C-alpha cells in the first residue's frame, strides 16, 4: 500500500493526494506507426499491436518498463533491478547472445545486451505521446532481433506554435519497513522561430530508499536507487512537408545493491553487496519528408 503526496502539497504542507488510475472518459482513437505504413488507426493495423496513450501513461503514473508490463497483455519482465530488465513477450525473451525483443525510442534502436548480468536499459518515462507494443513472432518489420516483439516509445515532439511547460512530482512511503520514493519531472517547450523551429527539454530525478535488509552485514535498506536524466529535442520545419529532428538522451542510474531477496521476507543473506551502475547516452538525427502517398524517413 502506498500513499502518494503531490509535490505542491508537500511543499505547502497542506494535504495528501492519491493519483487517479487511468480511466476512459470517452473512446479515443489511437494512431500508431509501428506497422511502418505511416500513422494509421490501431483498429486498421493487421498486426497484434497494443498502444498506451500519453494520457493513460500520465493518469496511471506509468514510469518504467515494469509499469508498462502491468497494462499490456503478453508483456512481462525478468527484473534484475532498475535499468536492468529482461523483456519477455509471449514467453520469448533474450538469452545469452540472442536478443528477442527490441526497444525503440522514436527512431533509435536501444538494443539490449544478452547475458546474465546486463539486459535492457530502462529509461524513465515522462512527456510521451504513446507507447506501442508489437507482439511477435515477426522479424520482417524490425529485423531478427525482434522475433518476440518490439516496444516503441513515441515522444512528444517540439511544437513551434507556442510555449508550454509542465512540472510533476510525487512522494511515496512504503508501509512495510518505511522508506521513501521521490519522483520529480519537468518539461519546457519553447519556440525559437514561430512555426519553424522549436526546442523541447525534459528532465527527471528519482530517489528511492531501499527495503532489503542485509543482517550478515548489519545494513538496513541496502538497495537504495538514484536515477537522473532527461532529453533535449530540436525540430526544424523545412516547408510544409519536411521536418528535421535532432535528439539527445542521457540517464544515469546507481543502485547500491541488487534488490532480489528472499521470497517471503525483505531480507537478503550474504556478505557481498551487488551494486549496479548504468549510464546511457543516445543521439539521433531524423529527416522526414511527406510525399503525399507515402513518406521517406532518414535516421
Amino acid at each position: 500500500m502506498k500513499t502518494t503526496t503531490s509535490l505542491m502539497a508537500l511543499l505547502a504542507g497542506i494535504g495528501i493526494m492519491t493519483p487517479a488510475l487511468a480511466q476512459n472518459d470517452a473512446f479515443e482513437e489511437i494512431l500508431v506507426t509501428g506497422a511502418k505504413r505511416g500513422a494509421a488507426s490501431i483498429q486498421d493495423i493487421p498486426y497484434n499491436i497494443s498502444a498506451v496513450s500519453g494520457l493513460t501513461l500520465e493518469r496511471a503514473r506509468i514510469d518504467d518498463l515494469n509499469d508498462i508490463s502491468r497494462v499490456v497483455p503478453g508483456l512481462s519482465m525478468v527484473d534484475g533491478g532498475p535499468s536492468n530488465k529482461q523483456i519477455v513477450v509471449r514467453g520469448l525473451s533474450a538469452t545469452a547472445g540472442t536478443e528477442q525483443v527490441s526497444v525503440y525510442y522514436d527512431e533509435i534502436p536501444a538494443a539490449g545486451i544478452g547475458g546474465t548480468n546486463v539486459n535492457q536499459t530502462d529509461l524513465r518515462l515522462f512527456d510521451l505521446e504513446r507507447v506501442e507494443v508489437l507482439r511477435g513472432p515477426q522479424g520482417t518489420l524490425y529485423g531478427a532481433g525482434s522475433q518476440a516483439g518490439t516496444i516503441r516509445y513515441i515522444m512528444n515532439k517540439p511544437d513551434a506554435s507556442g510555449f508550454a511547460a509542465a512540472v510533476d512530482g510525487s512522494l511515496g512511503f512504503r508501509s512495510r519497513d518505511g522508506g521513501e520514493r521521490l519522483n520529480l519531472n519537468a518539461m519546457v517547450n519553447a519556440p525559437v522561430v514561430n512555426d519553424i523551429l522549436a526546442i523541447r527539454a525534459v528532465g527527471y530525478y528519482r530517489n528511492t530508499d531501499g527495503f532489503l535488509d542485509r543482517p550478515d552485514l548489519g545494513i538496513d535498506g541496502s538497495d537504495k536507487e538514484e536515477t537522473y536524466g532527461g532529453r533535449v529535442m530540436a525540430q526544424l520545419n523545412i516547408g510544409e512537408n519536411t521536418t528535421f529532428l535532432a535528439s539527445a538522451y542521457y540517464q544515469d542510474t546507481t543502485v547500491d545493491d541488487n534488490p532480489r531477496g528472499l521470497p517471503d521476507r525483505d531480507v537478503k543473506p550474504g556478505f557481498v553487496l551487488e551494486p549496479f551502475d548504468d549510464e546511457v547516452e543516445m543521439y539521433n538525427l531524423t529527416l522526414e519528408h511527406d510525399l503525399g502517398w507515402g513518406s521517406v524517413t532518414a535516421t
Side-chain angles (χ1 to χ4, degrees), residues 15 17 21 28 66 83 132 140 156 190 198 255:
M17 297 176 58
L21 295 179
E28 177 186 2
N66 276 344
S83 292
E132 301 176 7
T140 57
N156 284 325
V255 184

Side-chain angles (χ1 to χ4, degrees), residues 32-48:
V32 296
T33 56
K36 292 194 173 181
R37 296 169 50 188
S41 172
I42 191 171
Q43 297 178 344
D44 298 331
I45 300 297
Y47 301 101
N48 195 330

Side-chain angles (χ1 to χ4, degrees), residues 64-107:
D64 58 14
L65 276 169
N66 276 344
D67 295 337
I68 292 290
S69 68
R70 296 187 182 103
V71 297
V72 176
L75 175 66
S76 59
M77 301 290 146
V78 178
D79 194 352
S83 292
N84 190 13
K85 307 287 194 291
Q86 184 173 323
I87 306 172
V88 182
V89 176
R90 286 182 168 176
L92 298 176
S93 64
T95 56
T98 59
E99 182 189 4
Q100 296 294 322
V101 181
S102 62
V103 175
Y104 281 74
Y105 294 90
D106 285 327
E107 300 298 331

Side-chain angles (χ1 to χ4, degrees), residues 266-277:
D266 296 335
V267 174
K268 186 175 184 179
F271 294 91
V272 179
L273 293 174
E274 300 177 69
F276 177 80
D277 295 302

